[in-house]
Amino acid sequence: MHTYPSYIAPSGEAIVEFVRANPFAIVATSTAGAPVATHVPIVFQPGFEPQGTFVGETLWGHMGRDNPHWQLFAENPSTLLAFSTSHAYVSPSNYGFADAVPTLDYATVHLTGKVTIIEDDALSLDVVKQTVSHFESARSEPWEQSPSFPIYEKILPGIVAFTIEVETETAMFKLSQDMPADVHERVVADLTSGERKHPDVAALMRRIGVSAEACPGA
């Protein structure tokens, strides 16, 4: 992924937290023709805390067995994981100066690595349990999944679990951080309460803040 110096992630920890908060990724595999891509949940292993980078670490994922995508992993284990926010249109009406053009604000993280299919049923079941735990942890009252473990075991033949050993990471945090603070705040307000809301992007903008005191077009 091409990145721009003005829109780099503020830290490795920010990249890790972004993936934790946006775990629904595009998994893409190269083929002789167009790449094949599937949208799947990607989660950390239990107790796993990356130390400022994903490189050298292993993530978990799974997809439906009826999806032929997983059959490509054996012939080409190199894979791309793409995590992203929604794409937020930024209107020049928020800027307060002329000679302005609209843009889109968003954040995305790309990880590449080697994918390996998990053949062990017990470990595949752990992947399913951890996936549910990850998403339930964001709820104020997480659902207790243990009574459903027998059902998980019944549906296990219908999924394919896998690991991804991460080799590279790149990130783009394009969040109007190169705008003056007052413009940045107006964009945040527009994405929070305007006609086209993007609360995920607005929340990330608040956390990242600004990196400029003046805008060249001002």
Side-chain angles (χ1 to χ4, degrees), residues 21-22 32 47 64 68 77 80 86 88 108-109 113 124 129-130 133 142 150 158 171 181 191 208:
N22 299 274
L80 166 70
S86 63
T108 184
V109 170
S124 294
K129 293 177 180 178
Q130 178 65 4
S133 294
L191 299 181
I208 299 304

Side-chain angles (χ1 to χ4, degrees), residues 53-196:
T53 181
F54 284 111
V55 176
E57 304 290 359
T58 301
L59 300 174
W60 281 355
H62 73 280
M63 65 176 61
R65 189 171 293 276
D66 286 344
N67 183 347
H69 184 170
W70 66 269
Q71 298 176 27
L72 299 173
F73 293 162
E75 61 184 81
N76 186 5
S78 295
T79 193
L80 166 70
L81 306 179
F83 306 81
S84 67
T85 60
S86 63
H87 54 283
Y89 176 75
V90 178
S91 170
S93 61
N94 293 298
Y95 293 168
F97 54 80
D99 299 326
V101 295
T103 190
L104 292 168
D105 274 2
Y106 64 95
T108 184
V109 170
H110 285 194
L111 305 177
T112 66
K114 178 183 178 181
V115 60
T116 302
I117 295 172
I118 296 174
E119 304 288 355
D120 181 74
D121 285 348
L123 185 54
S124 294
L125 186 59
D126 286 342
V127 172
V128 175
K129 293 177 180 178
Q130 178 65 4
T131 301
V132 176
S133 294
H134 181 92
F135 284 91
E136 285 292 332
S137 67
R139 299 173 59 85
S140 59
E141 296 182 9
W143 170 65
E144 176 50 58
Q145 61 174 317
S146 57
S148 292
F149 287 169
I151 299 176
Y152 290 6
E153 294 177 1
K154 289 181 180 179
I155 67 173
L156 200 60
I159 71 159
V160 174
F162 52 87
T163 64
I164 306 99
E165 298 175 34
V166 180
E167 297 171 342
T168 71
E169 65 183 8
T170 54
M172 265 276 276
F173 281 47
K174 186 177 180 298
L175 301 166
S176 294
Q177 63 266 52
D178 55 341
M179 288 290 183
D182 60 328
V183 175
H184 187 270
E185 184 53 38
R186 286 196 293 272
V187 174
V188 170
D190 190 30
L191 299 181
T192 302
S193 58
E195 295 176 330
R196 296 184 62 83

Side-chain angles (χ1 to χ4, degrees), residues 23-28 36-42 62-64 67 69 82 84:
F24 196 58
I26 296 174
V27 176
V36 173
T38 301
H39 298 250
V40 300
I42 300 292
H62 73 280
M63 65 176 61
N67 183 347
H69 184 170
S84 67

Side-chain angles (χ1 to χ4, degrees), residues 10-29:
S11 66
E13 286 77 11
I15 293 175
V16 170
E17 290 308 311
F18 180 83
V19 170
R20 191 195 305 272
N22 299 274
F24 196 58
I26 296 174
V27 176
T29 303

